[in-house]
Structure formats: structure tokens, C-alpha cells
Amino acid sequence: MLQRKITLFVFVLGIVTAIGAQEIPMVVIKKGAFVPLYGTVDKKPVEVAAFEMDVYPVTNAQFLTFLKKYPEYSRSKMKGIFADKSYLSHWESDFSYGKNNLSNAPVTNVSWFAAKKYCDCQGKRLPSMDEWEYVAMADEKRVDARTKEAFNKYIMSWYEKPNTYANPIGQTFKNYWGVYDMHGLVWEWTSDFNSIFLSGESRKDKAADKNLFCGSGSLNATDLMNYAAFMRYAFRGSLKARFTTKNLGFRCANAIKVPDHLTQNSKK
């Protein structure tokens, strides 16, 4: 009987461990409004509906599990129209990221197409740019810490550090929402990553101006001193959906329905 209980315990523990290794916790982001760096007229706030976001970026181990189920997205079988030649180039092979301890590090060198497919297969989606920026403007205690000099210095100092993509997830600060690694680890894809560089005054304008990148990036900006945001928008604007880089990863989000009395932000 004792042996049977031990065997059952080990079996159940194994199941829990296996599930836990693949689960990505999510947190509720309450609805709110903010003025983004670009995309508004007369600095009017953008409304962000309540949604869920992954606490951490997707890891190499989690992406490997996805590839085993969808091998057509593996390195050797990925079509060139969906990813450039650097796709998962730091991995040892199609289904191995090698001897380096990358299992708990964020997966990088993935295209927008691959990131979108991964989120779709989890019943989720990529966060929009507004959603991402809304969560990213929080520090440990404030919903919006963009005016704090120390917060912006922290972000800018990270831009100067190389090879953070190999660091494990969850080592940066936990922000107001309970989300880690929005800054200090890797850049991240959004669903509409290049939609902001438009020729008109509205983000709904579909006439793209391909010359509006770094040099002209300050035109119509709402905060000329927000260098950290300038860096993010300029980087996104330089991307195409098939591009991959060693410091670009992603996380997933999901729409939710939350009662209004649970979605109001307290003033900070």
C-alpha cells in the first residue's frame, strides 16, 4: 500500500510538473487610458480595454514544445516568405537549442508570423502596440511612471547592455500589473508593430509613409523627451513581419470581459 501511494504521488507530481513547465501565467490588465508617443490628435488619450497579458515572455523551451507540434515552423521547414535566414539561427538544430542554458531564456530570432502562430495556437494573440505600451509605462508602484527620471534611466541603461536575450525570464522588476521583463530583457513583437508610421494624423490612415522612421520620428510626437519610447517606436518601424533578430522575442495577450467595477484604475 505504501509503495502504491508513493508511486501515485510521483505520478501526480510528474503531471503537475509537466503542466507547470508549459503553462504561462497571465494577469488582468484593467482598462484605462493614456497618451502614447504617437498616433493621437491634440494629445487625446487612447482608450485601452481590459485584457490579459502573459507575465513573462515566451521561452525557448515553450517555443520548442510548439515546434514539435507544428514542425512546419521549425528552422529547416520555415518558408522564406514567413521568416528570414536568421530564424532561430542561434539554435543548434530544428528541435534543439543546444547545450547553452537557454530553456528559461526568452525565445528570439522569431518572426512576427511565427510569434502570431504561437499565440494563436495557445488560444491567445499578440498584444497591440497600445496594450504593450500601456503595460510598459508602469514601474513597481505606479500605473504611469514615464515622468520618473529613474525609470527612464533604467530603460535607457538596458539599451546599452549586450546579450540580454540569453538571460532567464523573471529577473527584472515586477511592475504594477504583476508583469516582468517589459524592459531589461528583449524587445517584443506587437500585433500592429509598424502601424504608427503613417502619413496622416490618424492611426486609421492606411497611407503609409515609408520614410517616417528615425530621422523624422519626432514629428507629431507627444513627448519629445521620452527617448525610451522613441527607441521602441523607431525599432518597430524598421521591421518587416519576416524579420528576425537575436534580441527580439514576444509574449501573448488575450481579450477578456471584466465587470466595470473591477476595471477602474485608482489614481496613482
Side-chain angles (χ1 to χ4, degrees), residues 205-241:
D205 186 352
K206 296 181 180 179
D209 182 353
K210 295 182 180 179
N211 295 319
L212 187 56
F213 293 129
C214 297
S216 300
S218 62
L219 296 175
N220 298 320
T222 58
D223 182 1
L224 297 181
M225 298 306 292
N226 194 343
Y227 297 116
F230 273 121
M231 292 285 285
R232 292 194 295 275
Y233 280 88
F235 177 68
R236 290 173 181 141
S238 68
L239 296 172
K240 292 183 179 181

Side-chain angles (χ1 to χ4, degrees), residues 169-187:
I169 61 171
Q171 300 300 304
T172 65
F173 69 91
K174 177 182 180 181
N175 77 5
Y176 173 91
W177 301 109
V179 177
Y180 288 84
D181 305 325
M182 296 299 285
H183 309 289
L185 192 58
V186 293
W187 303 86

